């Protein structure tokens, strides 16, 4: 069991040997072939195809954009998970195999027997458990909204973390056109081009890096940037995602996109006024200061946020957006 104090932390933490007792880890320590056989034994016979991300050998495992950021250097294929595992096994001895990566695949859907024998107790959390399987890979630095504990099952992983405050120094790519759903840093930490990305040198001053082996884990708090590398010919990672916020709360990214559409084009003096408004109503919210002069029944959206109030806000927003048209 992970101590609750760890789960409530705001800084990353390496947890050596956290899942060393897992049978899957024992199989991986025996050999990659044994790890693959273990996973094959956990497959759900009627599982849907998995999504495999595949790139040519010359991308060297870096799943990324193409040169002009108009597309990507990989393709996605829907194939049975067993076919992916057999293909990875076939390429174990190859010096330059194609890059193969099955990302964020829900354990309960594809490998329910795996989770029954290899699981992690997280007090107070109801996490989504996912598995990541592939050969050598480099996943660009990105943020996730949920809290995250990532557990290495097979192979070795190198994780490089940047504090959320390093956003401006990470040279983030497009927000709405991304390799895997989250905006990513355009800088390759393995070979940073500091002429093109000079502020990345400052990000490196704040970076933390750790190499993780089978059985090790890392806690990644919400919104910490993380660059993940699979260092061997066969790598497996299981991660647990959960939010400290209630499930009915909306994704803040939606608010960010709407703010870009409605605020960024205003004159600077008007943007400054709205910055103050957001500080008053959102970031520095204090009910007494904001709405203490109103009777509780009249406070509306200025009162404490709950599921019913959030639903009313969402409905009103949808109505306004529909009136504006697309």
């Amino acid at each position: 069991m992970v101590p609750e104090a760890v789960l409530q932390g705001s800084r990353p933490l390496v947890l050596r040997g956290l899942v060393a007792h897992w049978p899957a880890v024992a199989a991986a320590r025996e050999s990659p072939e044994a790890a693959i056989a273990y996973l094959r034994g956990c497959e759900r016979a009627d599982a849907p195809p998995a999504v495999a991300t595949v790139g040519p050998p010359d991308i060297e495992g870096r799943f990324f954009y193409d040169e002009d950021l108009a597309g990507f250097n990989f393709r996605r294929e829907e194939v049975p998970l067993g076919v992916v595992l057999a293909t990875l096994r076939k390429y174990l001895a190859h010096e330059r195999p194609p890059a193969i990566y099955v990302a964020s695949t829900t354990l309960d859907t594809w490998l329910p027997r795996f989770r029954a024998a290899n699981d992690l107790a997280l007090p107070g959390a109801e996490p989504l458990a996912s598995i990541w399987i592939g050969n050598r890979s480099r996943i660009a630095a990105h943020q996730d909204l949920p809290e995250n504990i990532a557990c290495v099952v097979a192979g070795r992983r190198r994780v490089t973390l940047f504090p959320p405050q390093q956003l401006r120094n990470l040279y983030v790519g497009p927000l709405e056109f991304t390799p895997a759903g989250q905006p990513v840093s355009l800088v390759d930490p393995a070979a940073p081009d500091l002429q093109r990305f000079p502020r990345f040198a400052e990000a490196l001053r704040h970076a933390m890096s750790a190499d993780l082996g089978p059985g090790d884990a890392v806690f990644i708090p919400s919104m910490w940037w993380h660059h993940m590398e699979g260092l061997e010919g066969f790598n497996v990672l299981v991660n647990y995602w959960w939010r400290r916020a209630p499930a009915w709360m909306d994704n803040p990214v939606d608010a960010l996109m709407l703010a870009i559409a409605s605020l960024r084009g205003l004159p600077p003096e008007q943007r400054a006024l709205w910055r103050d408004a957001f500080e008053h109503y959102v970031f520095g919210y204090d009910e007494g200061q904001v709405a203490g002069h109103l009777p509780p029944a009249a406070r509306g959206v200025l009162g404490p946020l709950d599921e019913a109030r959030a639903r009313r806000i969402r409905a009103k927003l949808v109505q306004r957006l529909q009136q504006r048209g697309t």
Side-chain angles (χ1 to χ4, degrees), residues 192-275:
D193 183 347
L194 295 181
Q195 285 194 323
R196 182 181 176 192
F197 306 116
R199 293 194 308 272
F200 187 72
E202 178 63 17
L204 284 174
R205 290 184 59 248
H206 299 272
M208 294 176 278
S209 184
D211 284 6
L212 309 175
D216 293 336
V218 59
F219 168 61
I220 305 174
S222 173
M223 300 299 285
W224 274 72
W225 294 88
H226 47 288
H227 179 272
M228 303 292 288
E229 296 179 71
L231 301 175
E232 296 187 2
F234 183 68
N235 299 277
V236 178
L237 180 140
V238 168
N239 86 301
Y240 296 84
W241 274 319
W242 72 98
R243 289 189 67 184
R244 298 187 198 179
W248 47 261
M249 285 190 66
D250 292 327
N251 190 329
V253 173
D254 297 335
L256 174 63
M257 297 297 282
L258 188 57
I260 289 173
S262 56
L263 297 175
R264 197 175 65 189
L266 294 176
E269 63 275 11
Q270 292 186 22
R271 289 202 308 271
L273 296 175
W274 279 104
R275 183 184 294 114

Side-chain angles (χ1 to χ4, degrees), residues 14-62:
V14 171
L15 302 162
R16 297 288 181 192
L18 179 69
V19 296
H21 60 286
W22 282 5
V25 172
R29 285 177 172 163
E30 182 181 335
S31 68
E33 292 84 357
I36 292 171
Y38 185 92
L39 291 174
R40 294 293 303 269
C42 295
E43 283 184 84
R44 197 185 103 199
D46 59 344
V51 177
T53 304
V54 182
D58 59 8
I59 73 171
E60 297 181 337
R62 190 182 187 220

